Amino acid sequence: MAIILDGKKLSETIKQEIAVEVKKLTDSSLLSPGLAVIIVGNNPASKVYVSSKKKACAATGVFSLEVALDENISQEKLIEEINKLNKDDRINGILLQLPLPKHLDEHAALEAIKPEKDVDGFHPINVGKLYIGLDTFVPCTPKGIMELLKRNNVQIAGKNAVVIGRSNIVGKPIGALLMKENATVTIAHSKTQNLPELVKNADIVVSAIGKPKFVKGDWIKDGAVVVDVGINSVDDPSSPKGYKLVGDVEYEEAEKKASYITPVPGGVGPMTIAMLLSNTLKARMNK
């Protein structure tokens, strides 16, 4: 039976560590780290995420500012709002909540954020630094995965890792981070052939494709480490809500074969917000 990689528990430990560092700043009459979250429109999921980020800031002593903008805002006005935050000395980190309404250019908006305030790690300068191995802001979900692995003493060097999904937010950066730790990395995607065979040879499997129970339990190699990034809502008449959350991996079957596995929910998800706070503290300390 696999050891559970408990992201919820670890994220609380990390938030306590961050709170200690923030208190050191404020006890020395220095400004606490400041995080601004820009939300455009009324996307219900985005509102939930922003609310949870504000709560995490409050729990750790990080100053937070929510900038709520009309869904019909122009690109020019959005860039203006970003530039105001770029110049605001209270703000060390700027997070642009995605997705944006269709009429806005996401890439241009992300590039408008100063690289030294880009706590999401999405600015091309920070992406480039990650890929050539320089110190930079690492996207929060991949950074959270690496913390989960390292703090549970999972060996990475020399291991075969298969990453399923090639997004700029998870797949590509986690591939780069695993390579930096000397894993041999294959990034699989929708055009990959013989995916089950690839997974069966993997010591570490990271799935980030957003398809419920796509990765079958019998694909998992005995003793493999399974990191499930997917959070998928599926109908469940027995649940009071009428649905339940499941990952990309057939958890019950995979758990029998894996050495370590992340639950869904409670695995990678909580680590993402903890890493956002970690990056915001890093931005404050870099000043």
Side-chain angles (χ1 to χ4, degrees):
M1 196 67 80
I3 295 169
I4 305 301
L5 294 170
D6 189 339
K8 190 172 182 182
K9 185 177 177 182
L10 178 55
S11 71
E12 291 304 320
T13 300
I14 290 169
K15 284 190 276 189
Q16 288 168 13
E17 293 168 0
I18 291 166
V20 169
E21 295 304 314
V22 171
K23 190 170 185 301
K24 286 180 187 174
L25 287 169
T26 54
D27 283 352
S28 303
S29 301
L30 297 170
L31 283 175
S32 66
L35 173 68
V37 179
I38 303 170
I39 180 168
V40 183
N42 298 302
N43 183 306
S46 291
K47 285 188 167 183
V48 170
Y49 290 138
V50 170
S51 173
S52 60
K53 285 163 186 169
K54 284 167 71 175
K55 284 178 188 168
C57 285
T60 52
V62 172
F63 168 69
S64 70
L65 177 69
E66 181 182 342
V67 180
L69 303 174
D70 188 87
E71 64 184 332
N72 296 314
I73 193 171
S74 68
Q75 185 78 22
E76 184 183 19
K77 288 287 186 188
L78 174 58
I79 301 293
E80 273 181 30
E81 292 291 339
I82 292 170
N83 283 332
K84 281 184 201 170
L85 296 170
N86 280 335
K87 295 170 186 170
D88 190 335
D89 286 339
R90 298 172 303 164
I91 301 301
N92 306 110
I94 301 170
L95 183 146
L96 180 62
Q97 185 66 45
L98 302 176
L100 294 177
K102 293 278 194 288
H103 69 282
L104 295 171
D105 184 336
E106 186 176 292
H107 294 292
L110 291 171
E111 284 189 44
I113 297 170
K114 273 187 175 181
E116 59 267 33
K117 292 192 177 189
D118 167 40
V119 288
D120 249 342
F122 294 161
H123 192 286
I125 286 176
N126 289 327
V127 172
K129 283 182 172 181
L130 171 64
Y131 278 92
I132 60 173
L134 297 179
D135 182 55
T136 189
F137 292 111
V138 174
C140 300
T141 299
K143 184 176 181 179
I145 292 168
M146 297 307 289
E147 281 291 312
L148 262 178
L149 296 179
K150 287 181 178 181
R151 295 210 190 196
N152 283 279
N153 299 311
V154 172
Q155 188 181 342
I156 300 171
K159 300 298 184 181
N160 284 328
V162 170
V163 177
I164 308 172
R166 53 179 165 179
S167 73
N168 294 330
I169 295 172
V170 181
K172 290 176 187 173
I174 192 61
L177 291 169
L178 288 165
M179 277 193 289
K180 189 177 178 184
E181 296 297 326
N182 298 310
T184 301
V185 180
T186 301
I187 296 187
H189 45 77
S190 59
K191 304 293 185 202
T192 299
Q193 297 181 2
N194 299 322
L195 181 59
E197 295 307 313
L198 281 176
V199 174
K200 284 175 183 177
N201 287 311
D203 304 304
I204 300 170
V205 179
V206 180
S207 184
I209 52 166
K211 292 185 177 180
K213 301 189 177 183
F214 176 82
V215 178
K216 306 307 176 191
D218 62 7
W219 296 5
I220 303 301
K221 175 182 175 181
D222 284 337
V225 177
V226 179
V227 179
D228 192 345
V229 186
I231 300 181
N232 310 287
S233 176
V234 296
D235 291 338
D236 180 9
S238 67
S239 165
K241 295 180 178 177
Y243 69 90
K244 66 177 179 180
L245 298 177
V246 300
D248 291 347
V249 178
E250 272 188 347
Y251 182 86
E252 290 78 8
E253 296 305 313
E255 186 190 15
K256 294 171 187 172
K257 300 182 77 177
S259 57
Y260 293 86
I261 193 168
T262 59
V264 177
V268 175
M271 293 297 295
T272 299
I273 290 180
M275 294 302 100
L276 174 63
L277 297 174
S278 172
N279 278 350
T280 303
L281 177 62
K282 177 185 173 83
R284 172 68 184 83
M285 303 309 285
N286 285 347
K287 280 190 73 173

